[in-house]
Every structure is written in structure tokens, then in C-alpha cells.
Amino acid sequence: KEMEYCARAGLKGVMLANFPSGKGFPTPEDDRFWAAATDLKMPLTAHVKFFTDERPVFRYKRRPTEAESFAVDPVFNLVRFAGESALNAVQMIMAGVFDRFPKLRIYWAETMIGWIPYFLSQLEDNWERTRYWAGEFYGLEAPARPLSEYIREHCFWGFIKDPFGVMMRHHMAVGRLMWATDFPHAASDWPNSRKVIEEIFNGVPAEEKSRMVAGNSTEFLHLDS
């Protein structure tokens, strides 16, 4: 109902601090919210991550015995070389959220992006090393597509001053990267934002620069409608 109010009020997005149910992992109760977001075409965002330390990080179909568990949470194991915003995205993938709601997109703000290509490569490798024991002992099912495909299609990422990330843009998806000023916080370079843009986008084709600086956010937030 709050999201419906936001849509009527003309607000351009909703920021989540946790999964809609309030849990630290996806639940079936979340689906009403995801459905409403897609029906309302309401952009969803998170400031870096969902803020929870709840463990385990997934509602598994089976709880292994102590001897079987290896003392490892398999979904958390998939992102052990990445940050917590990566964890939230993978939680949604493994719960089938993006399969049930193929139009759902979410913007993870202020994450930086240079780490993402490494994360994507490690994600696939970690899954191959995890999937069999996770399936046997935890009942964790394989997603319909490679995990990295879901990330590239459904996740947008925000960055401020990240020249390395801009260099690595083709190992991600240029259409899913958004530059931001982060004004008025300490991470911001305002009033030198334009100078920083010229520095970190030096040599980047104008079309790609335009998408990352303005086009992607305009499209995601429906600012041209």
C-alpha cells in the first residue's frame, strides 16, 4: 500500500532496507511486493545492500545434520569473494525471484563496480564447486540460467569515482551501470563533478559515457516519461 501511495504521489522509486517481508532472506511473502512493483512499474533501489546480519542467509528446504553441514552456508559461500549487495542479488536468484518476475529490476546504489567482473567469474566457479553438496544436504536447487546472466539482466550498479570500473565496463553490461555524485556526502567530488567525469571517462566512446552518466538512470527511473 505504501508503494501504491508513492506511485500516486509521483515518486520515482522506492528504496528497500531489507527484503519486503522484513526477513534477511527472500520468502514467499515477498512476492506480493515484487508483483506490485512490476505492475506499477515502480523502480526499486537499495542503498548498497539490505541491512541484516541474519543467518542462515537462505530458507533452505532441508537443514543438514551437524556432520553434513560443513559449517558452511551454501548461498553465502557463492559470494565469499564479493560484497553484501552481491549476496542480496544472489539470494534473489536462488529463490527464483527473477524467474517468477522477469521484468523485475533493482538498483544497488553506491556499490562501485570494479569488483563486479571478478565477482561474476568467481560466482560461476563457486556455484560449480558448491551445487552438488548444497543440493544433497540443503535441498538447494539450481537456477534455470547461469547466475551471472541474472546479474547482468536484472541488477543495476552505482559508482562514484571508479576509473578501474569504467575500464572494465565491457566485462559487465554498460546498460546497467550508473554514475552518481553522492552529493553532499564525503564521497562526492562536488563542485568538481564534471572534472571527475572527464577524468574517469577519458577515452570512453560518447554513447557509452552518455549511458552511464545519464541514460541508464533516466531509463531506469522513467525520467523521460
Side-chain angles (χ1 to χ4, degrees):
K1 289 185 179 298
E2 182 69 16
M3 183 164 52
E4 290 172 355
Y5 166 77
C6 291
R8 291 196 304 272
L11 300 181
K12 292 297 186 178
V14 169
M15 189 190 83
L16 297 175
N18 213 322
F19 286 101
S21 69
K23 297 289 186 181
F25 46 79
T27 63
E29 292 79 13
D30 296 332
D31 281 6
R32 288 179 59 205
F33 184 90
W34 305 135
T38 54
D39 290 345
L40 293 167
K41 298 181 180 179
M42 177 61 76
L44 301 179
T45 72
H47 183 219
V48 185
K49 63 174 185 174
F50 296 153
F51 288 86
T52 179
D53 293 320
E54 193 166 350
R55 296 292 185 271
V57 301
F58 199 75
R59 181 176 284 180
Y60 296 104
K61 292 184 177 180
R62 182 181 172 217
R63 295 300 299 272
T65 66
E66 185 175 347
E68 295 171 332
S69 71
F70 309 112
V72 174
D73 186 325
V75 169
F76 189 82
N77 194 56
L78 298 178
V79 297
R80 60 197 180 110
F81 301 123
E84 291 189 70
S85 51
L87 169 62
N88 297 149
V90 171
Q91 288 172 299
M92 295 175 72
I93 294 169
M94 301 308 296
V97 173
F98 297 126
D99 292 320
R100 294 192 297 278
F101 303 98
K103 295 182 179 179
L104 188 67
R105 305 288 187 272
I106 187 164
Y107 167 53
W108 309 96
E110 203 177 341
T111 59
M112 303 304 176
I113 57 175
W115 58 275
I116 296 177
Y118 177 75
F119 156 61
L120 292 177
S121 68
Q122 290 297 309
L123 176 62
E124 298 295 355
D125 186 66
N126 286 342
W127 171 241
E128 288 303 315
R129 298 173 188 276
T130 302
R131 61 186 299 176
Y132 301 105
W133 60 262
E136 180 176 355
F137 297 125
Y138 288 81
L140 187 64
E141 297 179 356
R145 295 183 286 152
L147 277 70
S148 58
E149 283 190 16
Y150 291 96
I151 297 291
R152 289 188 170 95
E153 180 177 348
H154 294 277
C155 296
F156 287 74
W157 306 94
F159 65 101
I160 306 169
K161 190 174 183 180
D162 188 352
F164 179 76
V166 173
M167 287 173 55
M168 300 296 290
R169 64 193 181 279
H170 292 139
H171 295 278
M172 296 171 270
V174 171
R176 295 292 184 265
L177 308 176
M178 299 186 195
W179 174 83
T181 69
D182 201 44
F183 177 84
H185 297 162
S188 175
D189 290 293
W190 187 90
N192 299 307
S193 303
R194 292 182 182 275
K195 179 181 178 182
V196 169
I197 288 173
E198 293 307 313
E199 289 177 358
I200 65 176
F201 287 95
N202 183 39
V204 175
E207 181 179 356
E208 294 181 5
K209 173 183 174 183
S210 177
R211 285 201 65 81
M212 290 186 282
V213 171
N216 293 335
S217 55
T218 298
E219 181 179 304
F220 177 77
L221 295 168
H222 312 305
L223 299 180
D224 54 352
S225 61

